Amino acid sequence: KRFPDLLRRVDLNDRAPPGYAALDIYCFDFNNELRPDLAEKQVEIDAEGVGGRRVKLSTWFRADEKDLYSASIRFPVAVRLDRPYRYRVREVKQDGTERAGPWRESASWSQILDVTTPPKEAGVRSVLGP
């Protein structure tokens, strides 16, 4: 009664239970030399924790580590798997300029997250034509 906001009762029976989620993230920009202008690519993940707080993690892909094209992010606390997660990509170019992309949402926790630059943006042309 004295501190009503200190504790909150959560009934897990009426919604999907939280889980300790893991996401597989792939980036082939460096491995396939699609972006010679790029030095680093950071992927930020934002999910809702069981208590309603946001849980944020990130991983990096780098030009000097071309063999590392995948990362597995494991959340240290339980997150709501029945809610979508958000992610955004930050790029650091060889000249030091930085660009952060928009936040995007994904409802599927089981799909692989591929943040490779789309072919048209990377300047890659198809041998089959436009």
Side-chain angles (χ1 to χ4, degrees), residues 1-129:
K1 290 181 180 181
R2 206 168 133 196
F3 303 103
D5 295 332
L6 187 62
L7 296 175
R8 184 175 78 164
R9 179 177 288 192
V10 177
D11 183 8
L12 295 177
N13 290 328
D14 68 345
R15 54 183 150 167
Y20 292 84
L23 283 174
D24 291 322
I25 304 169
Y26 284 80
C27 176
F28 295 102
D29 286 337
F30 304 110
N31 184 274
N32 291 339
E33 299 179 356
L34 298 176
R35 298 281 307 275
D37 64 316
L38 208 56
E40 301 178 330
K41 193 177 249 193
Q42 179 187 23
V43 182
E44 299 174 279
I45 307 292
D46 176 43
E48 183 180 341
V50 67
R53 293 188 183 192
R54 305 304 298 180
V55 181
K56 295 182 181 181
L57 296 175
S58 65
T59 189
W60 288 89
F61 297 98
R62 295 182 171 89
D64 61 349
E65 298 175 339
K66 295 179 194 271
D67 291 340
L68 298 177
Y69 56 86
S70 70
S72 183
I73 288 188
R74 300 192 189 293
F75 286 85
V77 297
V79 294
R80 298 283 308 268
L81 299 177
D82 62 333
R83 301 269 171 93
Y85 67 89
R86 298 184 327 147
Y87 71 95
R88 79 171 167 185
V89 178
R90 295 177 157 281
E91 296 181 346
V92 178
K93 294 193 175 190
Q94 295 287 352
D95 64 6
T97 58
E98 196 173 316
R99 182 182 74 86
W103 284 101
R104 300 180 190 275
E105 199 170 270
S106 178
S108 174
W109 285 90
S110 59
Q111 278 186 322
I112 292 172
L113 177 58
D114 188 348
V115 296
T116 305
T117 303
K120 290 190 187 262
E121 290 179 34
V124 176
R125 292 186 348 196
S126 171
V127 294
L128 302 175

